[in-house]
Amino acid sequence: MTDLTPYGPKSKIAYADPGYQEDGKARYPLNSEAHCRAAWAYINMPKNAAKYDAKQLDLIKGRIREALK
C-alpha cells in the first residue's frame, strides 16, 4: 500500500495550494481527474479565490490547468 499521507513533507499527493493560507494546510489535490475538476470549480468561486493574492491565484490556477492536461 502506498503512503497517501495527505499533508506535510511525507505527502505523496500534489496540491495546487501547498499551504498559502494562514493555517498552512495544503488544498486542492491534483491526484485524479475528478479532484482536478473539483479544484477548478472551487478555486473559481469568488469566496475561495478571495483568500489568495493575485500571484498565488495565478499559480494555483496554473497548476490545476497543467494537471488537467
Side-chain angles (χ1 to χ4, degrees), residues 28 36 52 58:
Y28 311 114
C36 292
Y52 302 96
D58 285 344

Side-chain angles (χ1 to χ4, degrees), residues 6-68:
Y7 308 109
K10 291 185 177 183
S11 177
K12 303 292 185 201
I13 300 171
Y15 288 87
D17 170 2
Y20 295 134
Q21 292 186 34
E22 203 171 289
D23 63 5
K25 183 177 175 183
R27 289 173 172 82
Y28 311 114
L30 304 174
N31 60 330
S32 71
E33 182 179 351
H35 281 160
C36 292
R37 291 184 182 279
W40 187 253
Y42 279 100
I43 198 60
N44 283 295
M45 291 180 185
K47 69 177 184 175
N48 294 327
K51 297 176 183 176
Y52 302 96
D53 65 32
K55 183 178 178 182
Q56 291 170 336
L57 194 57
D58 285 344
L59 287 170
I60 291 168
K61 286 184 176 184
R63 289 179 186 131
I64 296 170
R65 279 192 296 266
E66 187 63 31
L68 283 168

